[in-house]
Amino acid sequence: MPLGKHVATFGARTIVLYQKQNMTNLRYDTWAWVRDEDTGQTSRFLLQAGPSYRRVETDYVLTSATDLVVLSYDRNLGGQMLVTQFRLNGTGVPTSATVVGSTAFGDANSRPKSMIRLSSGAVVFGWHQEGPANADGSVNVGFAYRGAGGAWSTVYPVVLSDPSGGTLTLSEMALAQHPVDGSVWAFSKRD
């Protein structure tokens, strides 16, 4: 099954992540399919073996032709989010990947919602708390920013009020960078 909201591209390189069940241990392994448009070459390789719990990659971006940043969360255990950076290896088209580092965000009720690569090479992602809303019907959202040098900064909580007085926290989020001034815009729609 394909993962994430889109196909990640950088220059002539395209990558799609997907999961396959490993019939030996019945865990879900994450695989990568890569295509280089300049050469027409493709490859498929195991990105990472599935852990004992159900980790789901929800979004990913290429920050360079060889650097992949993946956002995931733990589906079964209620989930802390994890951002993992991979270095793609191989001449021509990549044939393997190495974990460069991982950083955890949020708590057991955090759900990743959107991730983008900025024109500077930085990465921004947003999340919200899933589960019961705050007493006033508001929901907490957060944002994390990883600069091109790799340092993270976060803003949490950003409290979004619910003008309808509902208690649902399910939502969708989209992040976009303004093409003229470079500012980052966040759009959140609660169901």
Side-chain angles (χ1 to χ4, degrees), residues 73-136:
Y73 78 100
D74 174 355
R75 185 179 211 162
N76 289 344
L77 300 177
Q80 194 172 32
M81 297 171 300
L82 187 65
V83 177
T84 306
Q85 181 182 356
F86 294 91
R87 171 86 53 199
L88 303 178
N89 308 311
T91 55
V93 68
T95 55
S96 67
T98 305
V99 173
V100 175
S102 294
T103 305
F105 293 92
D107 61 19
N109 292 320
S110 299
R111 292 294 182 271
K113 290 297 169 179
S114 188
M115 182 181 209
I116 62 168
R117 177 188 73 231
L118 303 178
S119 59
S120 66
V123 174
V124 175
F125 82 89
W127 73 90
H128 81 273
Q129 295 304 106
E130 194 168 284
N134 298 328
D136 64 357

Side-chain angles (χ1 to χ4, degrees), residues 6-126:
H6 63 281
V7 173
T9 60
F10 191 91
R13 180 149 299 158
T14 300
I15 190 165
V16 174
L17 299 186
Y18 62 98
Q19 286 186 332
K20 283 191 340 188
Q21 188 173 24
N22 183 325
M23 298 314 288
T24 304
N25 59 20
L26 300 180
R27 295 179 183 166
Y28 286 89
D29 296 335
T30 300
W31 287 74
W33 176 85
V34 182
R35 177 172 174 79
D36 186 304
E37 294 296 329
D38 287 340
T39 65
Q41 293 179 314
T42 63
S43 69
R44 297 176 203 272
F45 58 88
L46 177 66
L47 184 66
Q48 60 185 0
S52 59
Y53 53 88
R54 184 80 152 91
R55 180 157 291 283
V56 177
E57 288 79 5
T58 61
D59 228 339
Y60 48 95
V61 296
L62 284 164
T63 57
S64 75
T66 58
D67 292 309
L68 174 68
V69 179
V70 177
L71 178 59
S72 63
Y73 78 100
D74 174 355
R75 185 179 211 162
N76 289 344
L77 300 177
Q80 194 172 32
M81 297 171 300
L82 187 65
V83 177
T84 306
Q85 181 182 356
F86 294 91
R87 171 86 53 199
L88 303 178
N89 308 311
T91 55
V93 68
T95 55
S96 67
T98 305
V99 173
V100 175
S102 294
T103 305
F105 293 92
D107 61 19
N109 292 320
S110 299
R111 292 294 182 271
K113 290 297 169 179
S114 188
M115 182 181 209
I116 62 168
R117 177 188 73 231
L118 303 178
S119 59
S120 66
V123 174
V124 175
F125 82 89

